Each structure stands twice: as structure tokens, then as C-alpha cells.
Amino acid sequence: MAQIKLNNGLMMPLQGYGVFQIPDQQQCERAVLDALATGYRLIDTAAAYGNEGAVGRAIQRSNVDRADLFISSKVWIQDAGYDQTLASFNRTLANLQTDYLDLYLIHMPYGDYQGSWRAMEDLYAAGKIKAIGVCNFEADRLLDLILSNHVVPAVDQMETHPFTQQKALRSVLQQYGIKLMAWAPFAEGQRGLFTQPVLKAIGDQYGKTPAQVTLRWLLQNDIVAIPKSVHADRMAQNFAINDFTLSPADMVQIATLDTEQPVILQIRALPEVFRLHGMTITQ
Ligand SMILES: NC(=O)c1ccc[n+]([C@@H]2O[C@H](COP(=O)([O-])OP(=O)(O)OC[C@H]3O[C@@H](n4cnc5c(N)ncnc54)[C@H](OP(=O)(O)O)[C@@H]3O)[C@@H](O)[C@H]2O)c1
């Protein structure tokens, strides 16, 4: 499987699997087992998803070596701050039944995320995390974080799909050697992505679906993608993107689908700030 090198030298798979919105523990455990059997080695979870324990049980049940896995998780807003982040991280490790994380991310750019970052820098220095990064940080907050601290984030996980291509952010990320990780690579199916005519016409040339064209487009842009599905047949479809190449003309056509606006999360919208701050989790 193709990998990319992070700014600290760590290799990260470009194809991953995400477990957001799988609250049923048994279903999540089954889905992660299916994803590992499909060939996925990067599993993306979060304290806020309420299923780290199920991910941990699936990893225990699978016969995949821990060293071959790349596990990422995230600290939620209520645990922002130095001490809270250390405590949340320890709960994450216990839930996942592991003694280190490959990637640990600040989930939202709210609360005392500077304190969280300092805790993560210390955990990174102690070897408990192989790389640290952020989610949902737009360029200004990212730059503020970089200028206030020592370790430059390795990853920014952002809503990224054909309708929200993050072109402006990508040029800032490139300057700092930060890799983009696409959440909701299918826009969670919104705007008809799975039947979108441009993606469908491109896919028809190669015998591929709009979902596969989308994931291939991300791969060819060196963007890590973590599609979610609870269906093994869709996982297999989403994984099978290494036997075709999009042409430069295809890439240009997909570029025209960009709306330069998020479809799912308006991170700066005041109702979203209230909503997300109000979301409490049990871990
Ligand atoms: N950092 C953040 O703030 C953040 C936010 C959101 C998500 N994420 C991460 O990103 C991951 C992916 O994002 P997401 O789960 O929100 O959305 P997504 O991957 O864009 O879309 C998932 C949806 O697509 C369906 N689907 C998957 N493959 C398909 C296929 N080949 N054909 C048709 N339908 C298909 C799934 O249905 P079925 O499951 O029924 O197959 C599900 O409804 C998450 O799981 C999570 O790890 C991070």
C-alpha cells in the first residue's frame, strides 16, 4: 500500500479507514475486523466517537501485528488543556489496549488547545506517540499554533472531497511540510457524490465507481483518506483503487467541482462553536 513520509520521517499509509458514526460497539468491532481483513492498516478513531474500546477489541482479535498498524485518535474539546489531555490520552491508550499511538490529533480548534499541544509535545518526546497533529485547523490558527510551540504538526485532518478541495490551505500546509488527511472523503454522501455525473463519467472509462474515482483523486494528490463504511463489500470497493490512474484531464475536470466551501462543518460559524462546545463525551 502506498505511504507518505511525515515531517518527522514517520511513514503513514495513504489509504485508511475511519469509524465515525458507528456507535454500536459490536458493529464497530465487526467493521474494524472487516477493514483489517480488507487490507486497511490505518484506523482513525477519536475519544468523541465513543468506540475506541471496540476498535481496541477488534485489534486484539485480529492477527495483525501492532507494528504493522497505524492507529490515530483525537482529544475532544472538554479535555483541552495540559493535564486534561494527558488524562484523556491515557484513557485512549487503555481503550485501544495499546501502549502507544501512531498519531494523536487535537479534534477541534477550540478551548485550551495550546495546553493540549504542549501535553502532546511531551508525550511525543516520551515516545508515547509517533506523530502529533490537528484537525479542523484553518491556516491562521495553524500558524498561531506553530509559532507558539516547538513541534510543527505532522498532519491536519480536514473536511476534504471533490466539493471542498482545500486548495488554499494545501499551499500553507506544503510550506510547513504538514500532510493533509481527508475526513469525509465522500462528503458523507451529500451533494449526490456517489452518482455525481463528472465522477461517474470519469469512472466509466476505467470501470470504477464515483467513490473509487474520489479516493484515487485524493491518492494522486498525496492526501491521506479515511473513508468510513460498515459494509465489507464497500470497504473492498473503496480499497481497490491501485489498478487505475486518473489522467491529467480527469484531474482538471475534478478540480472544477470545487465549491471552496465546506459542505459538512462550518468550523467558524458561531452556532457550530456553541454546538461543539456543548457536546460532552464519556470516554
Ligand atoms: N476530524 C474530524 O472532525 C472528523 C469529522 C468527520 C469524520 N472524520 C473521520 O473521517 C472518516 C470518514 O468520514 P465520514 O465517516 O464522516 O464520511 P465519509 O467517509 O465521507 O462517508 C461515509 C458514508 O458513505 C457511505 N459509503 C462508504 N463507502 C461507500 C461506497 N463505496 N458507496 C456508497 N456509499 C458508501 C457510508 O455508508 P455505509 O457505512 O452504510 O457503507 C457512510 O454513509 C470518519 O469515519 C472519521 O474517522 C473526522
Side-chain angles (χ1 to χ4, degrees):
M1 193 197 311
Q3 304 210 331
I4 48 163
K5 191 185 272 194
L6 302 183
N7 58 13
N8 65 354
L10 184 70
M11 299 304 290
M12 177 176 188
L14 271 160
Q15 290 179 258
Y17 174 76
V19 296
F20 182 39
Q21 298 181 128
I22 319 180
D24 182 286
Q25 301 298 309
Q26 280 182 349
Q27 187 183 37
C28 182
E29 190 174 328
R30 177 76 259 151
V32 173
L33 277 166
D34 287 343
L36 293 171
T38 301
Y40 284 107
R41 292 294 175 266
L42 159 55
I43 308 291
D44 180 74
T45 184
Y49 299 169
N51 57 19
E52 287 177 322
V55 173
R57 285 189 292 280
I59 290 168
Q60 288 300 312
R61 278 179 63 192
S62 79
N63 50 15
V64 181
D65 279 351
R66 175 67 185 89
D68 293 332
L69 292 170
F70 191 106
I71 305 176
S72 64
S73 194
K74 317 181 186 89
V75 58
W76 187 243
I77 304 161
Q78 79 193 47
D79 292 314
Y82 189 93
D83 292 336
Q84 295 91 324
T85 294
L86 291 182
S88 180
F89 176 76
N90 284 330
R91 290 194 294 273
T92 286
L93 285 191
N95 288 338
L96 289 166
Q97 302 184 52
T98 185
D99 55 4
Y100 72 95
L101 279 190
D102 297 277
L103 180 66
Y104 196 43
L105 303 168
I106 295 178
H107 205 149
M108 292 288 164
Y110 301 145
D112 180 15
Y113 54 80
Q114 299 280 3
S116 293
W117 191 252
R118 286 176 197 123
M120 290 160 68
E121 285 185 329
D122 287 352
L123 291 164
Y124 174 63
K128 304 291 281 179
I129 312 171
K130 293 195 172 179
I132 55 178
V134 295
C135 306
N136 302 308
F137 274 56
E138 292 183 341
D140 54 347
R141 249 168 235 210
L142 190 62
L143 186 59
D144 179 42
L145 189 76
I146 292 168
L147 296 177
S148 308
N149 296 288
H150 302 293
V151 179
V152 174
V155 166
D156 193 359
Q157 186 182 113
M158 291 292 287
E159 177 183 346
T160 310
H161 44 71
F163 310 126
T164 306
Q165 300 190 7
Q166 303 289 5
K167 283 185 197 134
L169 177 68
R170 272 151 68 185
S171 73
V172 175
L173 296 183
Q174 205 169 12
Q175 280 176 47
Y176 289 93
I178 301 168
K179 296 297 179 191
L180 180 58
M181 189 172 180
W183 68 252
F186 301 141
E188 297 181 353
Q190 292 192 41
R191 307 254 169 111
L193 184 137
F194 297 117
T195 52
Q196 205 287 329
V198 169
L199 300 174
K200 177 147 183 9
I202 292 171
D204 285 349
Q205 301 173 82
Y206 308 103
K208 294 288 175 180
T209 64
Q212 291 172 311
V213 169
T214 296
L215 295 173
R216 182 72 206 179
W217 165 76
L218 289 165
L219 187 82
Q220 286 184 212
N221 277 302
D222 270 350
I223 299 172
V224 177
I226 44 172
K228 170 263 177 184
S229 175
V230 292
H231 296 101
D233 57 337
R234 288 181 177 169
M235 291 177 201
Q237 180 194 133
N238 298 342
F239 198 66
I241 57 167
N242 290 303
D243 55 357
F244 74 114
T245 304
L246 297 172
S247 69
D250 299 331
M251 298 295 275
V252 168
Q253 268 198 292
I254 297 170
T256 65
L257 300 179
D258 194 8
T259 65
E260 298 183 11
Q261 294 295 320
V263 169
I264 297 164
L265 179 61
Q266 304 276 349
I267 197 73
R268 288 172 179 276
L270 302 191
E272 288 292 50
V273 182
F274 278 115
R275 181 180 70 84
L276 292 165
H277 259 282
M279 213 183 111
T280 52
I281 62 160
T282 46
Q283 194 184 354

